[in-house]
Amino acid sequence: FVSVGTDHHPFDRLIRWVDEWLLTDLGRRAACLMQSGASAHPRHAGWMPYLSQQGIQAAVGRATILVGHAGPGTIIACRSRGLVPIVVPRRKALGEAVDDHQLGFAARMAQEGEVALAESPTALATLLDRGIEDPSAFRLPRRSERIEESVHRFASLVEELVRKGRASEPVMPRHSADLPRSEG
């Protein structure tokens, strides 16, 4: 599933990059739906200019790979459905946005491992090929695995604090009823 979002600026570059990839050997194996917005319509994929929120959620739920602009809404929709999205940030210089806010946001999200960043047609093709060859490549770990990882990390941080002996710092009350109250 490819989504360019609902911005009134066309994002023909993303549509063209995916359309070209669909002509490759691995691309021919993909069934692709594009939400094209104000952009040019793809030639090698199914498309709709706009989808309802319910339609987008359904498309994301069926997708193995999701490609989109670097908008927070698109990223959240993917992550909530267990997908790590491939993002292509819109660029002001290309008439795709009013400013370059998506560039910094996408870079930060990629650094945090929240998205896969594609800033060129080659990078996008490489990521799409990976997703076709390994359908689990852009799936999040099962929730229980992430919780277990977080619990282990928390436990190690607590152990580290205990080892450092934080005795010189004040001990905070355990309950709000134990907090000192100011008169006034």
Side-chain angles (χ1 to χ4, degrees):
F1 178 60
V2 177
S3 174
V4 302
T6 58
D7 192 288
H8 69 277
H9 294 89
F11 198 10
D12 296 343
R13 177 171 57 107
L14 177 57
I15 299 292
R16 186 177 59 255
W17 288 2
V18 174
D19 228 11
E20 290 169 1
W21 175 80
L22 288 167
L23 295 175
T24 67
D25 289 340
L26 289 175
R28 286 187 186 97
R29 293 174 35 190
C32 181
L33 172 64
M34 291 193 203
Q35 179 269 314
S36 59
S39 306
H41 306 298
R43 292 176 297 194
H44 308 292
W47 61 274
M48 295 283 297
Y50 296 98
L51 295 170
S52 67
Q53 188 62 32
Q54 190 175 27
I56 288 174
Q57 289 296 329
V60 170
R62 288 189 303 268
T64 302
I65 305 168
L66 188 119
V67 179
H69 66 116
T74 300
I75 293 169
I76 289 168
C78 295
R79 306 255 335 148
S80 70
R81 296 292 188 142
L83 288 172
V84 174
I86 298 170
V87 298
V88 177
R90 290 174 174 266
R91 294 182 177 272
K92 178 184 179 182
L94 301 175
E96 299 166 345
V98 295
D99 60 29
D100 285 330
H101 70 279
Q102 286 191 2
L103 295 173
F105 181 67
R108 177 62 187 253
M109 295 299 283
Q111 181 181 16
E112 298 290 329
E114 300 292 323
V115 302
L117 180 59
E119 295 187 282
S120 71
T122 303
L124 178 60
T126 299
L127 290 167
L128 291 170
D129 287 351
R130 182 173 153 216
I132 293 297
E133 291 171 338
D134 177 8
S136 68
F138 298 103
R139 291 269 173 214
L140 291 170
R142 285 193 335 260
R143 191 166 182 78
S144 61
E145 291 171 5
R146 297 187 80 202
I147 291 171
E148 186 175 324
E149 179 184 315
S150 296
V151 168
H152 286 344
R153 176 73 178 132
F154 178 75
S156 69
L157 290 172
V158 169
E159 287 174 19
E160 183 180 332
L161 286 174
V162 169
R163 268 195 315 273
K164 287 183 178 181
R166 298 276 201 184
S168 63
E169 292 187 15
V171 175
M172 295 300 292
R174 295 175 76 185
H175 303 286
S176 61
D178 297 335
L179 291 173
R181 299 189 192 279
S182 62
E183 301 293 323

Coordinates of all heavy atoms in Angstrom, one line a residue, residues 38 105 111 157:
A38 N -3.5 14.3 -4.7 CA -3.4 15.3 -5.8 C -2.3 15.0 -6.8 O -2.1 15.7 -7.7 CB -3.2 16.7 -5.2
F105 N 12.1 15.2 10.4 CA 11.2 14.2 11.2 C 11.5 12.8 10.7 O 11.7 11.9 11.5 CB 9.7 14.6 10.9 CG 8.8 13.6 11.6 CD1 8.7 13.6 13.0 CD2 8.0 12.8 10.9 CE1 7.9 12.8 13.7 CE2 7.1 11.9 11.6 CZ 7.0 11.9 12.9
Q111 N 16.4 7.2 12.6 CA 17.5 7.0 13.6 C 17.0 6.2 14.8 O 17.7 5.4 15.3 CB 18.0 8.4 14.0 CG 19.1 8.3 15.0 CD 19.5 9.8 15.4 OE1 18.8 10.7 15.2 NE2 20.7 9.9 16.1
L157 N 18.5 -1.1 34.3 CA 18.7 0.3 34.7 C 18.6 0.5 36.3 O 19.4 1.2 36.9 CB 17.7 1.3 34.1 CG 18.0 1.5 32.6 CD1 16.8 2.2 32.0 CD2 19.3 2.2 32.3

